[in-house]
Amino acid sequence: MASRIPVPGGPVRGSRSGKPIMALFDLLGRSWALGVIWQLSGGPLTFRQLQESCEQVSPTVLNRRIKELTSSGLMERGDKGYRLTVAGAELFELLRPMGAWSKSWAHNLSCDEHGDRMRDRK
Amino acid sequence: MASRIPVPGGPVRGSRSGKPIMALFDLLGRSWALGVIWQLSGGPLTFRQLQESCEQVSPTVLNRRIKELTSSGLMERGDKGYRLTVAGAELFELLRPMGAWSKSWAHNLSCDEHGDRMRDRK
DNA sequence: ATAAAATGCTACGGAAAATGTAGCAAGGGA
DNA sequence: TCCCTTGCTACATTTTCCGTAGCATTTTAT
């Protein structure tokens, strides 16, 4: 059980540095952690709504992410469901531009792959 | 073996949406993916340097991340070692502010915990 | 009031990923 | 030649994730 929750200042999934950025990366480097924050940015969601909006992530994992993100002060439980805290909303603002960026990334990637196919063809 | 690499448009670790942001989150939501990008932002690093700067991450995982990040166009291999591509550098620019943010997050977190301890004491 | 549905969550077994250690082939340099 | 570095694979163990089932409690409908 246990499942260490990355806290800045403490050791982090094999890391002993405790550097805040590494603790943050460890926290966000788990399945659906970024997705949960992303989905909650639209407003509070219940457990099942959250699960649904995260492509039916298994309740086991969702519950774990909820505990981790809660105990690290990024989300909390209100009466309308789970929601981002102030800190969580701040972090989302840093994440937000990735939405647009990921689209052009996707576009360029598929172009490159197309290029590869064309090249392979010769 | 296999180990699916998240490509926007394709299914993503249990996800079928293929939304670019979800593909990106899946790619970054793996151990050390964010860390590798972060470390490479300082300039090219050899395999062993990278491993060292990532808290001695195991070569197995490092190699996997390298393949994933390479095939998704975020890093590449030059003659001075591994380095970020233009796209990778762009993504890092979006990540960069997290460095400062994580510090204040760490600060507030430890204050809150201190508050908890004080409250528990009564 | 009571049946039906939704909600938050735990249990469990199996698959996949991460860890840690060992070590090998290729390429210098002395 | 011997030695050292570099990039990487092998392998066994531990951890995490997934998918399904289901349970207790609260809410909604009748």
Side-chain angles (χ1 to χ4, degrees), chain A residues 27-91:
Chain A
L27 185 65
L28 300 181
R30 300 177 177 204
S31 66
W32 291 109
L34 288 162
V36 165
I37 294 175
W38 192 263
Q39 299 296 346
L40 285 184
S41 71
L45 292 174
T46 68
F47 188 94
R48 301 232 173 180
Q49 286 173 328
L50 195 49
Q51 187 183 7
E52 203 173 349
S53 67
C54 289
E55 313 275 345
Q56 301 296 346
V57 55
S58 82
T60 318
V61 173
L62 179 56
N63 199 29
R64 214 172 265 191
R65 289 303 92 84
I66 286 175
K67 278 172 186 157
E68 291 165 1
L69 294 174
T70 297
S71 86
S72 50
L74 298 180
M75 58 179 284
E76 64 191 353
R77 192 175 177 177
D79 42 352
K80 286 174 208 146
Y82 294 103
R83 65 186 178 197
L84 294 179
T85 60
V86 174
E90 276 173 22
L91 180 56

XYZ file of all heavy atoms in Angstrom, chain A residues 27-91:
503
model
N 4.778 14.342 -8.797
C 3.329 14.362 -8.555
C 2.563 14.354 -9.866
O 1.594 13.613 -10.034
C 2.984 15.625 -7.755
C 1.545 15.774 -7.290
C 1.198 14.695 -6.292
C 1.322 17.151 -6.690
N 3.015 15.167 -10.810
C 2.317 15.293 -12.091
C 2.665 14.159 -13.046
O 1.953 13.930 -14.018
C 2.675 16.632 -12.748
C 2.315 17.882 -11.940
C 2.698 19.137 -12.706
C 0.842 17.899 -11.579
N 3.759 13.456 -12.742
C 4.204 12.382 -13.615
C 3.560 11.059 -13.280
O 4.220 10.026 -13.280
N 2.314 11.086 -12.948
C 1.572 9.868 -12.658
C 0.309 9.881 -13.483
O -0.226 10.944 -13.791
C 1.224 9.806 -11.168
C 2.463 9.806 -10.328
C 2.163 9.822 -8.852
N 3.418 9.742 -8.106
C 3.517 9.297 -6.872
N 2.448 8.911 -6.231
N 4.687 9.254 -6.281
N -0.177 8.704 -13.805
C -1.260 8.653 -14.772
C -2.479 9.441 -14.311
O -2.957 9.290 -13.204
C -1.643 7.213 -15.055
O -2.181 6.614 -13.940
N -2.925 10.297 -15.173
C -4.142 11.083 -15.000
C -4.008 12.266 -14.070
O -4.972 13.005 -13.869
C -5.314 10.207 -14.563
C -5.728 9.299 -15.669
C -5.539 7.942 -15.710
C -6.331 9.662 -16.905
N -5.998 7.444 -16.897
C -6.501 8.473 -17.656
C -6.745 10.856 -17.449
C -7.060 8.464 -18.915
C -7.311 10.839 -18.712
C -7.459 9.657 -19.428
N -2.856 12.485 -13.472
C -2.714 13.628 -12.573
C -2.941 14.927 -13.343
O -3.746 15.778 -12.932
C -1.338 13.618 -11.915
N -2.266 15.071 -14.459
C -2.447 16.271 -15.274
C -3.869 16.336 -15.822
O -4.489 17.407 -15.833
C -1.440 16.265 -16.436
C 0.011 16.536 -16.048
C 0.973 16.092 -17.148
C 0.214 18.011 -15.743
N -4.385 15.192 -16.201
C -5.746 15.145 -16.737
C -6.781 15.590 -15.719
O -7.715 16.323 -16.060
N -6.621 15.169 -14.500
C -7.575 15.548 -13.453
C -7.579 17.057 -13.261
O -8.638 17.691 -13.222
C -7.232 14.847 -12.122
C -7.952 15.498 -10.963
C -7.591 13.377 -12.200
N -6.409 17.645 -13.181
C -6.321 19.096 -13.023
C -6.972 19.790 -14.217
O -7.736 20.734 -14.064
C -4.849 19.535 -12.884
C -4.271 18.979 -11.590
C -4.733 21.051 -12.925
C -2.793 19.241 -11.417
N -6.666 19.274 -15.379
C -7.222 19.855 -16.602
C -8.747 19.826 -16.583
O -9.408 20.817 -16.874
C -6.698 19.086 -17.811
C -6.972 19.742 -19.121
C -8.003 19.471 -19.970
C -6.198 20.773 -19.737
N -7.910 20.257 -21.078
C -6.819 21.077 -20.968
C -5.046 21.469 -19.379
C -6.317 22.045 -21.836
C -4.556 22.427 -20.246
C -5.185 22.709 -21.449
N -9.305 18.709 -16.220
C -10.762 18.562 -16.229
C -11.423 19.417 -15.156
O -12.496 19.968 -15.374
C -11.155 17.096 -16.030
C -10.651 16.148 -17.111
C -11.220 16.427 -18.497
O -12.198 17.159 -18.640
N -10.593 15.846 -19.510
N -10.768 19.508 -14.021
C -11.367 20.281 -12.928
C -11.336 21.782 -13.210
O -12.035 22.554 -12.552
C -10.646 19.994 -11.611
C -10.966 18.650 -10.969
C -10.263 18.532 -9.628
C -12.470 18.478 -10.795
N -10.540 22.185 -14.164
C -10.437 23.618 -14.440
C -11.755 24.176 -14.961
O -11.983 25.382 -14.910
C -9.338 23.885 -15.463
O -9.741 23.429 -16.735
N -12.614 23.299 -15.444
C -13.897 23.759 -15.960
C -14.957 23.944 -14.885
O -16.070 24.336 -15.185
N -14.596 23.679 -13.644
C -15.566 23.761 -12.555
C -15.616 22.456 -11.792
O -15.033 21.465 -12.231
N -16.306 22.457 -10.655
C -16.347 21.273 -9.783
C -16.969 20.075 -10.482
O -17.856 20.233 -11.319
C -17.245 21.729 -8.622
C -17.333 23.198 -8.709
C -17.116 23.557 -10.134
N -16.483 18.909 -10.151
C -17.019 17.664 -10.697
C -17.138 16.640 -9.581
O -16.306 16.598 -8.681
C -16.093 17.114 -11.789
C -15.961 17.893 -13.100
C -14.891 17.277 -13.982
C -17.300 17.957 -13.823
N -18.158 15.802 -9.667
C -18.285 14.712 -8.706
C -17.294 13.614 -9.084
O -16.706 13.645 -10.163
C -19.696 14.106 -8.741
O -19.877 13.448 -9.995
C -20.749 15.168 -8.563
N -17.158 12.675 -8.194
C -16.251 11.558 -8.427
C -16.540 10.883 -9.764
O -15.654 10.703 -10.591
C -16.386 10.548 -7.287
C -15.363 9.446 -7.313
C -14.190 9.558 -6.586
C -15.586 8.303 -8.055
C -13.247 8.535 -6.598
C -14.649 7.281 -8.083
C -13.481 7.402 -7.354
N -17.803 10.571 -9.980
C -18.150 9.855 -11.197
C -18.038 10.722 -12.455
O -17.665 10.237 -13.520
C -19.555 9.276 -11.087
C -19.701 8.318 -9.928
C -20.274 6.980 -10.309
N -20.207 6.090 -9.141
C -20.622 4.839 -9.137
N -21.133 4.318 -10.233
N -20.512 4.095 -8.052
N -18.343 11.980 -12.307
C -18.175 12.876 -13.447
C -16.704 12.970 -13.830
O -16.339 12.949 -15.000
C -18.694 14.279 -13.103
C -20.202 14.384 -13.068
C -20.667 15.738 -12.562
O -19.997 16.365 -11.728
N -21.808 16.183 -13.043
N -15.886 13.070 -12.812
C -14.451 13.167 -13.024
C -13.950 11.897 -13.706
O -13.189 11.937 -14.671
C -13.767 13.358 -11.673
C -12.319 13.826 -11.664
C -12.103 15.024 -12.565
C -11.907 14.161 -10.235
N -14.426 10.783 -13.208
C -14.036 9.498 -13.775
C -14.428 9.408 -15.242
O -13.660 8.970 -16.088
C -14.717 8.381 -12.984
C -14.259 6.996 -13.368
C -15.009 5.924 -12.610
O -15.966 6.192 -11.891
N -14.569 4.686 -12.768
N -15.628 9.890 -15.517
C -16.152 9.862 -16.878
C -15.331 10.770 -17.786
O -14.977 10.382 -18.905
C -17.599 10.350 -16.827
C -18.488 9.909 -17.949
C -19.920 10.342 -17.661
O -20.193 10.786 -16.503
O -20.756 10.270 -18.567
N -15.040 11.957 -17.312
C -14.331 12.920 -18.158
C -12.875 12.521 -18.348
O -12.210 13.022 -19.247
C -14.436 14.323 -17.571
O -13.734 14.397 -16.358
N -12.393 11.623 -17.515
C -11.031 11.124 -17.688
C -11.053 9.758 -18.347
O -10.329 8.845 -17.930
C -10.290 11.058 -16.361
S -9.852 12.653 -15.689
N -11.874 9.603 -19.340
C -11.885 8.378 -20.148
C -12.080 7.132 -19.313
O -11.422 6.118 -19.524
C -10.580 8.257 -20.932
C -10.161 9.510 -21.649
C -10.831 9.629 -23.014
O -11.362 8.627 -23.485
O -10.827 10.737 -23.558
N -12.948 7.203 -18.315
C -13.268 6.022 -17.520
C -12.069 5.465 -16.772
O -11.938 4.243 -16.637
C -13.883 4.922 -18.397
C -15.145 5.344 -19.113
C -16.295 5.669 -18.166
O -16.239 5.330 -16.982
N -17.310 6.353 -18.648
N -11.216 6.368 -16.317
C -10.089 5.915 -15.490
C -10.627 5.060 -14.342
O -11.728 5.315 -13.841
C -9.299 7.123 -14.952
C -10.203 8.070 -14.201
C -8.162 6.675 -14.064
N -9.871 4.053 -13.951
C -10.383 3.162 -12.913
C -10.487 3.911 -11.582
O -9.666 4.764 -11.280
C -9.468 1.966 -12.758
O -8.367 2.287 -11.955
N -11.528 3.584 -10.827
C -11.761 4.300 -9.561
C -10.587 4.185 -8.604
O -10.322 5.094 -7.819
C -12.995 3.613 -8.993
C -13.130 2.328 -9.726
C -12.514 2.535 -11.060
N -9.877 3.070 -8.679
C -8.705 2.890 -7.822
C -7.688 3.998 -8.056
O -7.233 4.646 -7.117
C -8.034 1.544 -8.140
O -9.031 0.545 -8.314
C -7.087 1.149 -7.043
N -7.362 4.196 -9.313
C -6.366 5.204 -9.651
C -6.902 6.602 -9.381
O -6.210 7.441 -8.803
C -5.949 5.081 -11.124
C -5.047 6.232 -11.523
C -5.255 3.760 -11.358
N -8.125 6.827 -9.764
C -8.696 8.152 -9.558
C -8.665 8.525 -8.090
O -8.265 9.627 -7.717
C -10.138 8.205 -10.072
C -10.825 9.543 -9.868
C -10.043 10.683 -10.494
C -12.251 9.518 -10.412
N -9.046 7.565 -7.275
C -9.058 7.833 -5.847
C -7.664 8.140 -5.329
O -7.479 8.993 -4.470
C -9.633 6.626 -5.122
C -10.092 6.972 -3.733
O -10.479 8.113 -3.485
N -10.027 6.015 -2.841
N -6.690 7.467 -5.880
C -5.321 7.719 -5.443
C -4.871 9.112 -5.861
O -4.285 9.844 -5.073
C -4.404 6.652 -6.041
C -3.269 6.284 -5.125
C -2.497 5.097 -5.632
N -2.970 3.853 -5.027
C -2.311 2.688 -5.152
N -1.210 2.622 -5.877
N -2.767 1.616 -4.560
N -5.165 9.465 -7.094
C -4.792 10.804 -7.565
C -5.484 11.874 -6.730
O -4.905 12.896 -6.374
C -5.165 10.990 -9.034
C -4.339 10.218 -10.061
C -2.859 10.493 -10.003
N -2.186 9.541 -9.120
C -1.789 8.328 -9.494
N -1.945 7.925 -10.716
N -1.208 7.526 -8.614
N -6.744 11.615 -6.393
C -7.484 12.579 -5.585
C -6.788 12.789 -4.241
O -6.594 13.918 -3.798
C -8.940 12.104 -5.364
C -9.745 12.271 -6.656
C -9.587 12.886 -4.236
C -11.153 11.712 -6.574
N -6.391 11.701 -3.625
C -5.727 11.819 -2.327
C -4.409 12.554 -2.450
O -4.075 13.405 -1.622
C -5.506 10.438 -1.722
C -6.751 9.918 -1.023
C -6.608 8.461 -0.594
C -7.924 7.936 -0.024
N -8.007 6.454 -0.096
N -3.656 12.219 -3.494
C -2.357 12.867 -3.681
C -2.517 14.359 -3.933
O -1.849 15.186 -3.299
C -1.611 12.216 -4.850
C -1.156 10.795 -4.575
C -0.764 10.056 -5.843
O -0.836 10.654 -6.924
O -0.385 8.881 -5.739
N -3.383 14.687 -4.878
C -3.552 16.093 -5.244
C -4.191 16.886 -4.109
O -3.941 18.081 -3.961
C -4.401 16.207 -6.515
C -3.758 15.635 -7.783
C -4.728 15.657 -8.950
C -2.489 16.404 -8.129
N -5.017 16.205 -3.318
C -5.627 16.880 -2.182
C -4.585 17.160 -1.107
O -4.476 18.283 -0.613
C -6.762 16.025 -1.598
O -7.781 15.866 -2.584
C -7.361 16.697 -0.376
N -3.816 16.130 -0.782
C -2.869 16.314 0.311
C -1.720 17.227 -0.100
O -0.950 17.676 0.738
C -2.341 14.977 0.794
O -1.243 14.587 0.027
N -1.612 17.508 -1.392
C -0.586 18.470 -1.780
C -1.204 19.813 -2.110
O -0.558 20.674 -2.716
C 0.246 17.939 -2.938
O -0.575 17.473 -3.969
N -2.441 19.973 -1.703
C -3.052 21.296 -1.747
C -3.470 21.804 -3.106
O -3.664 23.012 -3.282
N -3.618 20.915 -4.067
C -4.012 21.379 -5.396
C -5.504 21.255 -5.655
O -6.059 21.963 -6.474
C -3.231 20.616 -6.471
C -1.716 20.810 -6.419
C -1.037 20.022 -7.520
C -1.368 22.287 -6.532
N -6.145 20.320 -4.945
C -7.590 20.217 -5.075
C -8.214 19.942 -3.717
O -7.508 19.678 -2.744
C -7.987 19.152 -6.106
C -7.479 17.754 -5.830
S -8.007 16.532 -7.078
C -9.728 16.261 -6.618
N -9.532 20.029 -3.667
C -10.223 19.810 -2.401
C -11.646 19.389 -2.715
O -12.073 19.416 -3.862
C -10.221 21.094 -1.575
C -11.011 22.211 -2.244
C -10.793 23.562 -1.584
O -10.132 23.603 -0.532
O -11.289 24.571 -2.126
N -12.332 19.027 -1.671
C -13.705 18.590 -1.875
C -14.659 19.636 -1.331
O -14.624 19.963 -0.145
C -13.914 17.267 -1.147
C -15.192 16.597 -1.542
C -15.278 15.246 -0.885
N -16.533 14.600 -1.188
C -16.840 13.385 -0.775
N -15.971 12.706 -0.054
N -18.003 12.867 -1.075
N -15.486 20.164 -2.233
C -16.498 21.132 -1.809
C -17.849 20.452 -1.813
O -17.925 19.237 -1.955
N -18.899 21.212 -1.682
C -20.208 20.569 -1.657
C -20.751 20.340 -3.066
O -21.687 19.599 -3.255
C -21.198 21.361 -0.792
C -21.084 22.846 -1.023
O -20.145 23.250 -1.741
O -21.920 23.606 -0.510
N -20.101 20.969 -4.058
C -20.537 20.708 -5.442
C -19.658 19.658 -6.097
O -19.740 19.419 -7.281
C -20.505 22.000 -6.261
C -21.625 22.980 -5.937
C -21.413 24.290 -6.705
C -22.036 25.457 -5.955
N -21.282 26.699 -6.116
N -18.790 19.057 -5.292
C -17.893 18.037 -5.835
C -16.449 18.434 -5.632
O -16.156 19.361 -4.888
N -15.579 17.739 -6.297
C -14.162 18.066 -6.191
C -13.850 19.289 -7.035
O -14.432 19.500 -8.085
C -13.323 16.877 -6.661
C -13.463 15.677 -5.767
C -14.246 14.592 -6.125
C -12.806 15.641 -4.541
C -14.385 13.495 -5.297
C -12.935 14.548 -3.699
C -13.723 13.480 -4.086
O -13.859 12.400 -3.251
N -12.922 20.100 -6.551
C -12.569 21.306 -7.298
C -11.131 21.691 -7.023
O -10.525 21.218 -6.052
C -13.492 22.440 -6.892
C -13.281 22.813 -5.446
C -14.278 23.836 -4.949
N -14.023 24.106 -3.529
C -14.903 24.693 -2.719
N -16.087 25.042 -3.179
N -14.591 24.912 -1.467
N -10.614 22.561 -7.869
C -9.253 23.039 -7.677
C -9.208 24.030 -6.524
O -10.142 24.806 -6.326
C -8.756 23.719 -8.958
C -8.576 22.825 -10.183
C -8.092 23.652 -11.373
C -7.605 21.697 -9.893
N -8.130 24.004 -5.800
C -7.902 25.050 -4.811
C -7.331 26.257 -5.539
O -7.151 26.229 -6.751
C -6.874 24.596 -3.767
O -5.655 24.311 -4.459
C -7.333 23.361 -3.038
N -7.019 27.296 -4.808
C -6.387 28.470 -5.425
C -5.061 28.065 -6.049
O -4.767 28.405 -7.203
C -6.176 29.592 -4.387
C -5.381 30.736 -5.001
C -7.520 30.092 -3.878
N -4.294 27.293 -5.302
C -3.015 26.831 -5.834
C -3.214 25.981 -7.082
O -2.488 26.123 -8.069
C -2.258 26.036 -4.776
N -4.207 25.121 -7.040
C -4.492 24.262 -8.186
C -4.859 25.082 -9.412
O -4.436 24.773 -10.535
N -5.641 26.135 -9.188
C -6.045 26.994 -10.301
C -4.841 27.739 -10.863
O -4.714 27.921 -12.075
C -7.114 27.979 -9.843
N -3.954 28.144 -9.969
C -2.713 28.792 -10.408
C -1.921 27.865 -11.310
O -1.454 28.252 -12.374
C -1.833 29.127 -9.201
C -2.146 30.429 -8.507
C -1.317 30.552 -7.221
O -0.260 29.889 -7.107
O -1.753 31.306 -6.329
N -1.784 26.629 -10.841
C -1.026 25.657 -11.623
C -1.689 25.429 -12.974
O -1.023 25.336 -14.000
C -0.916 24.338 -10.861
C -0.135 23.239 -11.573
C 1.265 23.689 -11.927
C -0.074 21.976 -10.717
